[in-house]
């Protein structure tokens, strides 16, 4: 059907070219005939378009997490005919044959309806194309051809899901887009989640290590402060000699002042050490 329609279009283009040449030659002989020839060619083109029955093609799928591979499949299916009818497999069928879908049926339908190549959507279609369902597509929906990619599509029992349209001669194959699939996208998301979990676990371990180190530092500081508070202030020989010299020169009753002057700097150093810790 596609080859016959293509041949008819080529013959029509040749006829229009011949009429255009005749019109160009008639400009010199009879200029008034140019408008009539152009109008006749336009009528022939309109009648040709109205007489040809539009080719309706059918493409079904889950379309879960729709990506550019799905969009490319819809574009190629649209090129196989004039009207593209998409069959959306429900959640129960997807769960039975492939596993639970990520997006719900209403969400998947909204995504497919937004694609510019899609003309109609049929819901609640079966995953496996039985001969009875294929006859329903041919008779009720006027489908001429059923389209699918060149990748194998097998049922749970191992049989080909598109065996019925292939045997009926109503199957058209399109090229599958390599390098992308819904399964691959799900695996990428799982790997990214696992990587984030490992990174967060490493951060938590680092935080715990820092907290333990701060606690050790605080304990060491408290031990030093308690040791300084329990021990008497150290007295070096040089300081004793200086105190003895000042005692001999100072008047009576100045010994307490000398001791006070010696204790204060040590206490200030202790408080400064505590504040730095």
């Amino acid at each position: 059907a596609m080859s016959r329609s293509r041949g008819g279009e080529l013959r029509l283009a040749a006829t229009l070219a011949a009429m255009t040449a005749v019109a160009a030659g008639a400009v010199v002989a009879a200029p008034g005939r140019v408008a009539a020839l152009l109008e006749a060619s336009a009528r022939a083109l309109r009648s040709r378009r109205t007489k040809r029955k539009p080719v309706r093609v059918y493409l079904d799928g889950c379309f879960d997490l729709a990506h550019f591979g799905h969009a490319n499949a819809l574009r190629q299916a649209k090129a196989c005919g004039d009207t593209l009818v998409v069959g959306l497999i429900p959640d129960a069928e997807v769960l039975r044959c492939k596993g639970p879908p990520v997006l719900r049926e209403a969400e998947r339908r909204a995504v497919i309806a937004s694609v510019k190549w899609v003309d109609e959507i049929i819901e609640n279609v079966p995953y496996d194309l039985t001969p009875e369902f294929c006859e329903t597509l041919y008779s009720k929906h006027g489908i001429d051809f059923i389209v699918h990619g060149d990748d194998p599509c097998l049922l749970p029992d191992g049989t080909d899901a598109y065996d019925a349209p292939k045997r009926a001669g109503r199957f058209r194959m399109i090229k599958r887009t390599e390098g992308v699939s819904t399964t691959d996208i799900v695996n990428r998301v799982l790997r990214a989640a696992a990587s984030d979990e490992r990174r967060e676990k490493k951060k938590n371990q680092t935080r715990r290590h820092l907290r333990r180190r701060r606690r050790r530092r605080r304990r060491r500081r408290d031990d030093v402060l308690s040791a300084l508070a329990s021990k008497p202030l150290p007295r070096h020989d040089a300081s004793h000699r200086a105190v003895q010299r000042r005692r001999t020169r100072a008047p009576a009753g100045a010994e307490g002042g000398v001791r006070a002057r010696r204790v204060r700097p040590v206490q200030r150093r202790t408080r400064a050490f505590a504040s730095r810790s």
Side-chain angles (χ1 to χ4, degrees):
M2 291 178 61
S3 59
R4 289 197 297 272
S5 61
R6 184 63 61 83
E9 292 176 357
L10 292 176
R11 287 194 298 272
L12 178 60
T15 304
L16 292 177
M19 294 177 67
T20 304
V22 172
V27 171
V28 180
R33 298 183 57 189
V34 175
L37 288 173
L38 292 177
E39 182 64 26
S41 62
R43 283 197 301 270
L45 182 60
R46 286 195 296 268
S47 63
R48 177 70 180 176
R49 287 179 176 176
T50 55
K51 287 180 182 178
R52 188 175 69 86
K53 177 182 177 295
V55 178
R56 293 171 61 86
V57 295
Y58 173 82
L59 175 69
D60 64 351
C62 305
F63 302 104
D64 192 17
L65 292 178
H67 46 76
F68 71 89
H70 293 140
N72 192 27
L74 295 171
R75 180 189 62 81
Q76 295 182 74
K78 177 70 173 181
C80 294
D82 301 314
T83 304
L84 174 59
V85 181
V86 175
L88 187 64
I89 300 175
D91 294 340
E93 286 289 299
V94 178
L95 179 62
R96 180 179 66 89
C97 299
K98 301 184 69 173
V102 179
L103 299 180
R104 293 187 291 270
E105 183 177 353
E107 297 169 337
R108 294 186 283 120
R109 189 188 190 288
V111 172
I112 297 304
S114 63
V115 180
K116 65 178 181 179
W117 298 294
V118 177
D119 298 308
E120 300 177 18
I121 297 178
I122 303 176
E123 299 184 43
N124 296 323
V125 299
Y127 187 85
D128 47 343
L129 294 176
T130 61
E132 294 78 13
F133 180 70
C134 291
E135 289 299 327
T136 303
L137 291 176
Y138 304 149
S139 59
K140 181 178 179 180
H141 300 283
I143 301 299
D144 297 306
F145 298 103
I146 296 176
V147 183
H148 192 262
D150 54 0
D151 55 313
C153 183
L154 303 178
L155 297 175
D157 57 357
T159 59
D160 188 4
Y162 293 87
D163 182 62
K166 287 179 180 178
R167 286 189 283 102
R170 294 200 173 194
F171 182 77
R172 292 292 181 269
M173 185 179 295
I174 58 177
K175 182 67 177 177
R176 182 183 182 275
T177 304
E178 299 293 337
V180 62
S181 64
T182 301
T183 305
D184 181 56
I185 293 175
V186 171
N187 290 333
R188 291 185 206 173
V189 172
L190 293 177
R191 285 196 297 269
S195 177
D196 292 341
E197 185 178 357
R198 287 194 299 269
R199 187 158 50 251
E200 189 66 24
K201 184 178 180 181
K202 187 176 180 181
K203 287 182 180 179
N204 293 333
Q205 290 177 351
T206 304
R207 293 192 192 100
R208 287 196 294 269
H209 174 70
L210 292 176
R211 286 196 296 268
R212 285 195 297 267
R213 192 164 67 177
R214 284 195 294 267
R215 284 195 295 268
R216 285 195 298 267
R217 286 180 178 177
R218 284 196 295 268
R219 282 197 297 268
R220 286 198 297 267
R221 183 195 65 186
D222 297 340
D223 293 342
V224 171
L225 292 177
S226 61
L228 289 175
S230 61
K231 292 182 179 180
L233 294 175
R235 295 188 176 185
H236 303 288
D237 295 338
S239 62
H240 277 292
R241 286 195 297 269
V243 170
Q244 291 299 327
R245 284 195 300 268
R246 283 196 293 272
R247 281 179 179 176
T248 56
R249 296 174 186 174
E255 182 179 355
V258 172
R259 290 179 180 172
R261 283 196 301 272
R262 180 175 174 273
V263 170
R264 286 196 195 96
V266 176
Q267 290 176 348
R268 282 198 295 271
R269 285 199 299 273
T270 304
R271 286 196 295 269
F273 175 75
S275 63
R276 284 198 303 272
S277 307

